[in-house]
Amino acid sequence: MMYPVVDNIVILKNYAGEVYWPEFGLNSIGDMTPGWGYYIKTDNPVNVIYPDIEDGRMGFDLDRFVSNKYEKPINTGNNMVVAIPENVWEAKPIIGDEIVVYDNNGMIVGNAPYREEGTIITVWGDDELTSEKDGLKLGEVLDISLFRHNESVEEKINIISWTEGVGYYTINGISIAGSITQEVVKERKLLYVTDVVGRIVRPDAQQPVLLYIYDDGSVEKRYLTK
């Protein structure tokens, strides 16, 4: 669908934060779906003409990323994308490792698998229509870590420079890391779990929202999904 204008496409995004990013050879969207809306950023004005598909929509099964360790971030309706090119790693990850983005309270707001072609993470912003903070505030700094699954350790990723974008949250922003440093961080330990009014409960309690309190002072909010 986008082939006629692919040379001018910077990035294409759907409502779920999945992207088609030709520069990094990434297509997590798969086929475009009739009736859906898409954001397209181009580096030049272009005319997009959809082909006439008489035989119906072609589709295929696309493997969706499911983390083995981390809770899935909440789709809050607004996001940005962060790219870490392969050539900026100090100590390269391996397939199976994950990149995780936290807010300043330790809540996961984005995670993605390491890719040798370049790692892309969709980072979710706060939904201001809800009373609870469920994503990054505008201007909030990105807290990025690398989880090495073989050693079960997290490394703090410090972005020293950006070739594009900034290191804080902007709606529909695009940030590409230019240089980074990495340092191992101590694995945090869970102290206790509470409900939203502060009562200590079991980690498997059937509550709509649970707060996980860790020994490093961070708090992780988890939602019960059915």
Side-chain angles (χ1 to χ4, degrees):
M1 300 293 284
M2 293 291 103
Y3 181 76
V5 296
V6 68
D7 290 340
N8 291 299
I9 290 178
V10 177
I11 195 170
L12 183 148
K13 231 175 26 168
N14 66 10
Y15 81 99
E18 296 161 333
V19 301
Y20 171 49
W21 201 340
E23 179 181 353
F24 291 95
L26 176 68
N27 179 15
S28 60
I29 292 175
D31 291 337
M32 299 180 76
T33 303
W36 287 21
Y38 298 87
Y39 290 100
I40 304 176
K41 180 177 182 180
T42 64
D43 51 16
N44 289 297
V46 294
N47 292 321
V48 178
I49 301 175
Y50 287 100
D52 183 12
I53 303 176
E54 297 179 354
D55 296 328
R57 181 173 63 91
M58 300 294 292
F60 64 90
D61 293 327
L62 186 68
D63 291 334
R64 304 294 182 183
F65 169 65
V66 178
S67 174
N68 291 320
K69 178 176 174 64
Y70 300 98
E71 295 288 324
K72 184 178 180 180
I74 299 171
N75 181 338
T76 59
N78 68 92
N79 60 61
M80 68 179 292
V81 288
V82 177
I84 304 179
E86 178 70 3
N87 62 352
V88 305
W89 293 104
E90 276 190 328
K92 289 186 178 181
I94 62 173
I95 299 300
D97 293 347
E98 299 180 33
I99 288 76
V100 189
V101 182
Y102 298 97
D103 75 348
N104 56 21
N105 294 319
M107 177 176 64
I108 295 173
V109 293
N111 64 325
Y114 163 73
R115 295 175 67 251
E116 292 178 337
E117 301 86 351
T119 301
I120 312 298
I121 312 102
T122 297
V123 180
W124 295 95
D126 183 46
D127 183 354
E128 295 185 351
L129 298 179
T130 62
S131 58
E132 301 290 335
K133 184 175 186 291
D134 44 21
L136 291 171
K137 296 286 189 181
L138 286 174
E140 188 172 347
V141 174
L142 306 172
D143 184 355
I144 307 175
S145 293
L146 165 67
F147 175 68
R148 294 191 182 272
H149 72 289
N150 281 347
E151 297 89 355
S152 192
V153 297
E154 271 194 12
E155 290 179 4
K156 173 72 174 177
I157 298 175
N158 299 305
I159 310 294
I160 304 302
S161 65
W162 300 88
T163 59
E164 183 174 343
V166 292
Y168 52 83
Y169 184 72
T170 59
I171 296 176
N172 289 328
I174 298 174
S175 292
I176 303 175
S179 60
I180 69 174
T181 61
Q182 297 162 243
E183 56 180 305
V184 177
V185 295
K186 180 183 177 183
E187 182 76 9
R188 60 181 182 172
K189 295 182 179 180
L190 179 66
L191 296 178
Y192 51 87
V193 180
T194 74
D195 60 16
V196 292
V197 296
R199 295 173 297 195
I200 296 178
V201 297
R202 292 171 54 88
D204 58 355
Q206 298 298 300
Q207 298 280 351
V209 181
L210 293 176
L211 302 178
Y212 284 63
I213 314 298
Y214 294 91
D215 62 351
D216 62 356
S218 63
V219 179
E220 181 179 340
K221 183 184 298 181
R222 299 188 184 182
Y223 296 82
L224 178 65
T225 57
K226 297 182 180 179

